[in-house]
Amino acid sequence: MKYELVAGLETHVELSTKTKIFCGCTTAFGGNPNAHCCPICIGLPGTLPKLNERVVEYAVKAGLATNCRISEIAKMDRKNYVYPDLPKAYQISQFDKPLCEGGYIELSNGRKIRLTRIHIEEDAGKLVHERGDTYVDYNRGGVPLIEIVSEPDIRSIEEAKEYLEKIQLIMKYIGVSDCKMQEGSLRCDVNLSIRPEGSEKYGTRCEIKNMNSFAYMEKAMKYEFERQADLLDSGEEVIQETRRYDVESGCTESMRGKEDAQDYRYFREPDLATIYTSPEKVEKLRGELPELPDSRLKRYTEMGISPADASLMVKYQAVAQYFDTAADGVNNPKNVSNFMVGQMFRRMPTEEEKERCSIASTVPPQNLNELVKLLDSGKIRMNQAKTVLETMMDSGKAPSELISAEDMAGINQDDLMEICRKVIGENAANVADYLGGKERAIQPMIGAVMRATKGKADAKAAQQILKQLMEAK
């Protein structure tokens, strides 16, 4: 039988506040175990939490950026469960009155993945397993999180990956998280079920916990889909449970029976006041949002940038900001994107370099803008521009320091004619091939003209003259 995948994601995003959600401890990644802790974040008796206002602001920005409704009144709740990484035996989270509700993420295929809610909560500590023993590091405990909960609208592994990539990009763009999966700043739980194709009834879901890698998420979803299909094809039932992905075996394996909300015995957190977010505050935060990735992508493609190049630049916010400055006032923005993607990206081979657009320290965007405007005006040719850009990246100099008035003067028609005659005389074999019907034989001769003129010649003009001279023979 053919089955359809049905999935929803619970995505946890660590917020980039300087201090934790309920105390003044640092949120810095790493450090010696249990060095970033205080009596509040490890839940000692008699301590009282105080909500970090910046956490609320970041969560509201996340909701606005994902088309959510912002709740004017929200509250915090205690989610009760016992686990070694949670010293209080409860997590302060949100249950029935979250900060953000509704919303959606639109995929490239036009489908909208609906969001149920976005709520704030504290992170738990981290269990470290070594040589048969288990240790607890509470440094991460109390780090502020938002949890973005989607509806079960995802219908393929590719959609799940794109959805999570879009969440990651949006959160980075609006500055609420660095979303570094390798540091646990972005991780998700995947709720997955299957049903016969054409059926409207949902199957029994299983939750795959703590996916912190796109590659592992894809592998875990593929395995879980096939596991559930095998069970149904064998006449067995899928049991609702929580599972984890084992990297070594490439399989998901059972952890525990799947909990529902009532299992956590939620009740209101008595030590924290109600959260009031005024409409004026919401509009102020909306005004602080930057241009979002989808809007920027649409604007770039409307400027004539290819979808592939536009997507590549939008992926890195610093690169996109560089492009906007470099393309300001130019006749053809595509020249700017071609230089960036074709030449400058080679000088930024790592993700980290692209994330901060490291080439800007050598070639400020104003310098690239100057170079492209010289190209627009016809004062230099494309080959010259490419050569000058390489020198700019090597030396850090501006175009005005590298291109002389003589370079911008071009080459007159008589001189170009003479150079073309000389090139024809030195390339008898290519001339014979061209006259014999091999059109491509002219290309090496155009290259020879461009080298002889140091890129000053117009390649199209050189091609025309070469053709005229050869065909007149």
Side-chain angles (χ1 to χ4, degrees):
M1 182 180 290
K2 286 190 174 183
Y3 297 100
E4 179 183 49
L5 179 148
V6 177
L9 269 58
E10 300 170 15
T11 307
H12 297 84
V13 180
E14 282 192 356
L15 301 179
S16 296
T17 56
K18 292 181 180 178
T19 56
K20 293 185 179 181
I21 187 168
F22 300 124
C23 67
C25 292
T26 179
T27 57
F29 178 75
N32 293 326
N34 300 305
H36 300 164
C37 301
C38 73
I40 294 174
C41 57
I42 61 173
L44 294 186
T47 58
L48 290 172
K50 182 179 179 181
L51 181 58
N52 184 338
E53 184 179 6
R54 187 57 59 86
V55 172
V56 176
E57 292 177 352
Y58 280 10
V60 169
K61 284 186 174 183
L64 292 172
T66 53
N67 310 291
C68 291
R69 300 184 305 275
I70 308 303
S71 303
E72 194 167 343
I73 301 294
K75 66 179 177 68
M76 304 303 298
D77 301 279
R78 290 187 180 182
K79 179 181 180 180
N80 296 275
Y81 66 94
V82 178
Y83 204 65
D85 61 7
L86 200 64
K88 299 190 293 285
Y90 62 85
Q91 178 192 35
I92 301 178
S93 181
Q94 292 189 298
F95 178 45
D96 57 328
K97 290 190 176 180
L99 266 171
C100 313
E101 296 181 282
Y104 61 87
I105 297 292
E106 186 169 355
L107 303 181
S108 58
N109 61 12
R111 293 192 64 239
K112 291 180 179 178
I113 307 303
R114 294 169 297 159
L115 303 183
T116 310
R117 57 193 276 149
I118 299 177
H119 64 260
I120 58 176
E121 62 186 20
E122 61 180 335
D123 208 345
K126 182 180 180 181
L127 299 183
V128 181
H129 307 284
E130 290 183 359
R131 298 183 295 277
D133 293 318
T134 298
Y135 304 89
V136 186
D137 180 2
Y138 288 121
N139 279 348
R140 197 175 68 184
V143 169
L145 294 176
I146 54 173
E147 182 173 344
I148 305 171
V149 183
S150 85
E151 294 287 330
D153 290 346
I154 293 168
R155 294 294 177 265
S156 69
I157 295 172
E158 293 73 26
E159 285 191 353
K161 182 172 182 285
E162 184 183 353
Y163 167 84
L164 192 58
E165 286 175 338
K166 288 209 161 192
I167 291 284
Q168 182 185 50
L169 190 59
I170 290 169
M171 296 304 126
K172 287 164 69 174
Y173 255 66
I174 65 176
V176 304
S177 177
D178 59 23
C179 289
K180 294 179 179 178
M181 297 188 83
Q182 69 274 19
E183 294 182 4
S185 297
L186 177 72
R187 53 192 191 273
C188 72
D189 304 332
V190 179
N191 289 284
L192 187 150
S193 65
I194 64 172
R195 62 187 179 187
E197 282 190 354
S199 172
E200 294 297 319
K201 184 180 178 181
Y202 290 135
T204 302
R205 77 183 190 278
C206 292
E207 181 180 29
I208 312 168
K209 295 289 285 186
N210 291 326
M211 297 281 93
N212 63 352
S213 154
F214 286 106
Y216 291 158
M217 182 184 75
E218 291 179 73
K219 290 176 182 177
M221 290 182 71
K222 183 175 186 296
Y223 176 85
E224 185 62 19
F225 179 91
E226 292 172 352
R227 184 188 75 85
Q228 292 187 24
D230 286 344
L231 285 173
L232 296 180
D233 286 342
S234 302
E236 300 180 53
E237 292 184 355
V238 175
I239 299 171
Q240 181 175 323
E241 61 183 347
T242 298
R243 301 177 69 85
R244 71 180 183 90
Y245 178 66
D246 182 72
V247 176
E248 298 296 326
S249 66
C251 303
T252 64
E253 52 189 38
S254 181
M255 292 174 64
R256 57 183 180 269
K258 179 72 177 86
E259 304 91 342
D260 288 313
Q262 61 267 26
D263 297 320
Y264 292 116
R265 297 174 57 245
Y266 281 98
F267 64 87
R268 179 168 182 155
E269 169 55 67
D271 295 329
L272 289 167
T274 297
I275 302 169
Y276 171 66
T277 309
S278 69
E280 293 78 16
K281 180 73 169 180
V282 171
E283 290 312 306
K284 178 180 179 295
L285 294 172
R286 191 192 305 275
E288 294 175 3
L289 292 177
E291 183 180 18
L292 296 175
D294 281 354
S295 172
R296 188 166 246 157
L297 184 64
K298 181 182 178 184
R299 178 164 62 86
Y300 287 178
T301 53
E302 289 173 350
M303 292 166 69
I305 312 301
S306 72
D309 286 355
S311 296
L312 193 56
M313 292 193 298
V314 168
K315 182 180 178 182
Y316 308 100
Q317 190 175 16
V319 168
Q321 291 168 340
Y322 183 103
F323 170 79
D324 283 342
T325 303
D328 184 37
V330 305
N331 292 343
N332 186 1
K334 195 172 188 305
N335 284 332
V336 179
S337 65
N338 286 344
F339 284 136
M340 290 179 65
V341 175
Q343 288 178 262
M344 300 177 89
F345 266 42
R346 287 199 293 270
R347 302 290 184 108
M348 300 185 289
T350 67
E351 290 291 298
E352 189 274 334
E353 287 172 308
K354 294 185 185 76
E355 288 283 359
R356 59 186 174 88
C357 195
S358 59
I359 197 68
S361 62
T362 306
V363 184
Q366 295 81 2
N367 287 0
L368 181 59
N369 179 268
E370 180 186 339
L371 180 69
V372 173
K373 283 180 176 176
L374 288 173
L375 185 63
D376 285 344
S377 67
K379 292 181 178 178
I380 60 172
R381 305 296 180 189
M382 180 59 77
N383 280 0
Q384 277 179 288
K386 289 180 179 179
T387 302
V388 170
L389 180 56
E390 290 295 330
T391 307
M392 287 165 62
M393 291 189 289
D394 289 334
S395 67
K397 293 182 178 180
S400 57
E401 299 177 86
L402 300 171
I403 306 173
S404 66
E406 183 183 350
D407 290 330
M408 291 188 284
I411 184 166
N412 66 48
Q413 192 77 356
D414 291 340
D415 290 341
L416 181 57
M417 182 75 73
E418 188 58 37
I419 291 169
C420 287
R421 283 197 183 95
K422 183 178 179 184
V423 166
I424 287 172
E426 293 172 350
N427 289 270
N430 285 331
V431 171
D433 287 343
Y434 176 79
L435 294 175
K438 295 181 179 178
E439 288 278 340
R440 294 181 61 83
I442 198 172
Q443 295 302 321
M445 291 188 283
I446 295 172
V449 172
M450 299 308 292
R451 286 192 296 276
T453 60
K454 297 181 180 178
K456 295 180 185 179
D458 183 324
K460 288 184 179 178
Q463 182 180 34
Q464 191 63 33
I465 293 171
L466 287 168
K467 285 182 177 181
Q468 290 173 356
L469 290 174
M470 287 189 290
E471 290 168 1
K473 284 197 167 194

